Amino acid sequence: MAGSPAGMSALLLLLLAVRPGQPAALYPASLQLQLPQLYSQLDGVLDSMMEVPDVPSPMAEGHWPRRPLNVGPVSGVAVDTLDRPVIFHRANHSWEATSFNKSQHYQDAARGPILSHTLLTLDPGTGAVLKSEGSGRFYLPHGLHIDAAGNRWITDVALHQVFKLPPDSDAPVLTLGVPFEPGSDAAHFCKPTDVAVAEDGTIFVADGYCNRRIMIFDREGRFLGSLGEEQGVDLLVPHSLSLDGGVLCVADREHGRVVCWNIRQRLLQPQVINLALYGRIYAVSVTGDVLLAVFKSLSGGGVLTIDLVTGLVLDSWVAAQGLNEPHDLAVTSDGRTTYVGELVPARVSKFVLQPDFYERP
């Protein structure tokens, strides 16, 4: 029956009806072991139901980095103003079920900060470490964003804080939030996940695991407002932000979707791209009309190429060795190279697009 049109229609309805945050528990037990094969079949059905433009998949660059990096779980990836990849990793610290109590207070503070360098700038050609920073400052790294001026914006979920690091130092010049103190008012975060900074210096913070909001601050760190429930948008773990021009996109992780606002016309309803079929959406990167989204499903992870205008998925791609727990991605200024960071195994992969595709004027 599964191969028949009627069977596929029933399968499509079953899979789409499942709550994205916890799909396996809602399937019949007899189907749970078949989920990867069913999703694979469903991909083929969807491709046959719609005309999808023929776009090339980015290719993983083999043997990059040329030498293994001695890093922990890679939670954040960005590119600097020279298009060099920068990664934010957890070294020997890990996020365990016991890391936070019921009130979301970090339980391992007495252990002290990570002593290894957590912020590494890599050579785009070889993957060799060019610069190491961030020793003795962070407890549980999460998000990394680099603005147009080269400032590094970092979130630490254990500290419940956001830090602005200048290009030439790892000493923060701006700190938002109260150390080790979770909260839901304008002065507190609760496990903030990511940051995006607009051209005028406006700061957007995804706040994140406990709260369901995107907080907005001016360039000096003064609170301006928030996006989310106030606009009637229910976010469930806003996990990643990407800002291009006036378009701010958030990976609404547990809802399996991407929500995009026009921040220059906030009265407009946001665009919602439902990707729950693919699983949880961990990270996004928007460049013009092209949106990349990192997903993780029961059968593994990958990256989606999406037409931001139509919301149509153009491509789904992974590395030759697969992506196990992809957590973040970053795209170079020309759109041709993408870096994907993973928690397990702890690594960063490089993907290259053929030169004449998505050519910028």
Side-chain angles (χ1 to χ4, degrees):
M1 164 147 179
S4 68
M8 282 301 183
S9 297
L11 174 62
L12 176 61
L13 291 174
L14 171 64
L15 295 181
L16 291 180
V18 170
R19 179 181 171 188
Q22 46 182 24
L26 299 181
Y27 285 114
S30 60
L31 284 180
Q32 292 185 21
L33 295 178
Q34 303 177 42
L35 290 179
Q37 294 86 350
L38 293 176
Y39 273 112
S40 178
Q41 293 179 46
L42 187 55
D43 281 342
V45 174
L46 292 178
D47 287 343
S48 66
M49 291 170 60
M50 61 183 71
E51 292 187 9
V52 179
D54 185 18
V55 299
S57 296
M59 301 297 293
E61 185 171 310
H63 306 291
W64 192 98
R66 293 182 184 175
R67 295 183 178 180
L69 296 173
N70 184 22
V71 297
V74 179
S75 62
V77 184
V79 291
D80 66 12
T81 56
L82 300 178
D83 270 341
R84 301 177 301 184
V86 182
I87 66 173
F88 193 34
H89 73 100
R90 296 174 183 167
N92 62 339
H93 283 208
S94 58
W95 190 340
E96 306 292 344
T98 57
S99 294
F100 295 87
N101 63 14
K102 291 184 178 180
S103 62
Q104 305 300 338
H105 289 85
Y106 185 57
Q107 298 299 286
D108 297 323
R111 182 181 177 186
I114 299 170
L115 299 181
S116 304
H117 293 294
T118 55
L119 197 60
L120 307 179
T121 302
L122 308 180
D123 184 288
T126 66
V129 177
L130 301 177
K131 184 166 66 171
S132 302
E133 302 170 274
S135 172
R137 292 193 180 278
F138 307 111
Y139 287 76
L140 205 54
H142 199 277
L144 170 65
H145 167 70
I146 300 179
D147 66 23
N151 299 299
R152 286 80 54 82
W153 295 82
I154 281 170
T155 71
D156 188 315
V157 291
L159 286 166
H160 303 287
Q161 287 183 298
V162 173
F163 303 94
K164 176 185 178 181
L165 312 182
D168 56 354
S169 171
D170 63 0
V173 295
L174 178 66
T175 301
L176 302 175
V178 182
F180 298 116
E181 190 174 300
S184 57
D185 59 19
H188 291 81
F189 304 108
C190 190
K191 300 178 184 172
T193 54
D194 203 9
V195 180
V197 179
E199 296 171 354
D200 65 359
T202 302
I203 306 161
F204 298 87
V205 179
D207 182 38
Y209 282 96
C210 325
N211 298 319
R212 299 184 172 194
R213 59 186 181 175
I214 310 300
M215 298 182 72
I216 309 172
F217 303 86
D218 69 12
R219 63 171 58 247
E220 304 300 327
R222 291 182 287 263
F223 180 69
L224 299 176
S226 64
L227 297 172
E229 292 183 346
E230 293 182 7
Q231 293 77 32
V233 179
D234 178 33
L235 300 172
L236 187 55
V237 187
H239 196 261
S240 167
L241 296 175
S242 182
L243 178 61
D244 185 65
V247 177
L248 175 72
C249 292
V250 54
D252 189 4
R253 195 185 80 176
E254 297 302 300
H255 283 145
R257 65 184 184 177
V258 177
V259 180
C260 298
W261 278 273
N262 184 331
I263 60 173
R264 294 170 181 164
Q265 301 182 53
R266 295 185 195 168
L267 294 179
L268 296 178
Q269 287 296 309
Q271 178 185 13
V272 177
I273 303 174
N274 188 356
L275 303 168
L277 173 66
Y278 295 91
R280 295 180 173 94
I281 303 300
Y282 276 77
V284 289
S285 177
V286 58
T287 305
D289 293 337
V290 178
L291 170 70
L292 298 184
V294 169
F295 70 90
K296 175 72 168 64
S297 69
L298 293 174
S299 57
V303 183
L304 303 172
T305 302
I306 301 164
D307 185 323
L308 188 58
V309 175
T310 64
L312 182 65
V313 175
L314 305 178
D315 192 19
S316 174
W317 44 277
V318 298
Q321 74 275 17
L323 293 172
N324 187 47
E325 290 193 24
H327 195 262
D328 199 11
L329 84 166
V331 182
T332 54
S333 59
D334 62 6
R336 297 172 181 167
T337 303
T338 300
Y339 299 95
V340 178
E342 292 184 78
L343 299 178
V344 180
R347 65 185 177 188
V348 59
S349 301
K350 177 182 179 181
F351 297 84
V352 181
L353 195 66
Q354 67 184 47
D356 60 346
F357 195 73
Y358 294 144
E359 185 76 37
R360 289 192 165 194

